[in-house]
Amino acid sequence: MSSATDTSGLRQRAVNGNGKSVAPSEEGKKTDQLLDSHTQYEFGGPWGVLAIMTGFPILMYYLWICLVFYDGQLVGPKSSDDVVPFLGRMWEHIRVDANPNWYAWKVYGGLIIYQLFLAWLVPGYMQEGLPVPSLGYKTLMYKCNALGCIYITWITAAVLHYTGIFRLTSIIDNFGHLMTVAMIVGFSVSFGMYFLTVATGNQIRMSGNFIYDVFMGACLNPRLGPIDLKMWLEVRIPWVLVFFMAVSGACKQYEELGYVTPNMAFMCLATWLYLNACIKGEECIPQTWDMFHEKWGFLVIFWNFAGVPFSYIYSVVYMSTHDPENYRFSTPTYVVLYTTLLTAYYVWDTSMSQKSRFKMYTQGITTYRKTFPQLPWGVVENPKYIQTAHGNKLLVDGWWAYSRKPNYVADWIMSLSWGLCQGLCSPIPYFYSVFFIAVLVHRVGRDFERCAIKYGKDWEKYCSIVPAKFIPGVF
Ligand code: NDP
């Protein structure tokens, strides 16, 4: 077993690297095989995932109804006699204000088709992914053209808005209808992909339980021509919609008030930063857990089609339907809010970049894409790392010298700021940060468990060098 915290091996690999498969040691291959087989249920097993699959859509409807129709306050039946009438009132809102009407199908379906069309045609930066154990450590190529596609989408949206063909304000006005369509698409694609994958024999890591396998997914690398569907869906629908919702809210304020509040402008900036980070660093996405480990099942599909766009920007929905006097802050408060966002963004962007580029470097990739904005310290020069017996290297430098998840901490602070921008008007816009912390803590548990199996004693060594899971000295 070899371990080191110098960089010589890394440089050697970089010099010798042919940019192709970097196969691990024999021991590493055995653990990879173990990690690619189903050993235990996660998320509470079949019953747990069934509860998530039914509970989340209901929760999303409930929160939206409270936000829009009950002044942002969480409501419930007033007495035991009121339970049935209360459920009736809720259902009436869904039936009338969130039915999947033809207009919503045209808008949401149009976005999907347009994004697929652009992803297919627009030229892009070709990025090699990580070696895939289930493909004999072959690496897949990823066409990273989100940057071009999204800029074209922004121009298209501006033309549609100014010509009046499609007013951006109609996104917020049709939130409920669009949400239902998104949910239907999320469910249909999840089940459809499961059946397609099983029918073509491309499934991996299956438990044998139908509902659990639909939830976790059957295939690892779904592709449609040159499009990697999993990577496509990570960005092109959820974060595009989140950004357009913020812009929609801003347009609505401008039309109704004659100006855009600093709070709504904050959400435009925050969602633009997130979307822009995803597109400018798209070549770093293949190195994330969602891409190299998570399969394309309900968990990822539903969340990207419906969960992210329709539950992360409740503050925008609130602010575009309520009087700005409710959420007007003092100038110093705005300064703190904007500074918090920009600082968290800086840590998030550079920590993700440091790890992804380190991983690319270990694969022999030494020239990086330069898209706007490239922030200082996005690449750690001569990084310190641990050489594991598995063959992989673990970065213990840059932000990764202080925390094992600096990116999660920064990402969570951004999510909190998305709720803070409307103050204490409603608890519902804080749903994103509350839900996200649960996701991240659960994800950390799953990730560290996997890494402990994968790296054994080297993982213990890594944890002793970087003891903080999240914030040094705190947690
Ligand atoms: P990470 O980027 O932390 O990736 C985890 C993997 O990276 C580990 O499994 C391990 O894989 C490798 N790794 C961990 N530590 C090191 C190290 N020190 N050196 C080298 N490799 C290391 O997390 P995710 O991929 O989960 O998340 C990426 C981003 O996406 C995060 O910022 C997260 O907040 C964000 N995200 C956002 C969501 C949202 O809804 N807003 C949802 C989910 C994620 P291995 O060693 O096997 O290569």
Side-chain angles (χ1 to χ4, degrees), residues 130 239 274 287-290 292 303 308 312 348 352 355 358-359 392-396 400 404-405 407-408 411 432 436 439-440 443 447 450-451 454-455 459 462:
L130 295 172
W239 299 108
Y274 213 102
Q287 287 87 35
T288 62
W289 152 282
D290 271 354
F292 73 77
W303 205 245
V308 171
Y312 282 13
W348 181 64
M352 291 288 291
K355 180 161 71 69
F358 169 76
K359 276 180 177 285
N392 275 9
K393 296 170 174 64
L394 294 169
L395 179 66
V396 288
W400 301 84
R404 276 180 265 150
K405 288 288 181 194
N407 51 346
Y408 280 18
D411 206 354
Y432 174 24
F436 197 37
V439 168
L440 293 179
R443 208 171 154 100
D447 186 29
R450 188 184 142 275
C451 289
K454 185 168 178 178
Y455 299 121
W459 185 253
Y462 172 62

Side-chain angles (χ1 to χ4, degrees), residues 5 9 18 65 88 120 144 148-149 160 192 194 203 226 397 400 428 439-440:
T5 44
N18 56 10
I65 292 168
W120 195 296
C144 302
C149 296
L160 292 177
Y194 169 85
Q203 67 272 35
D397 212 337
W400 301 84
I428 296 170
V439 168
L440 293 179

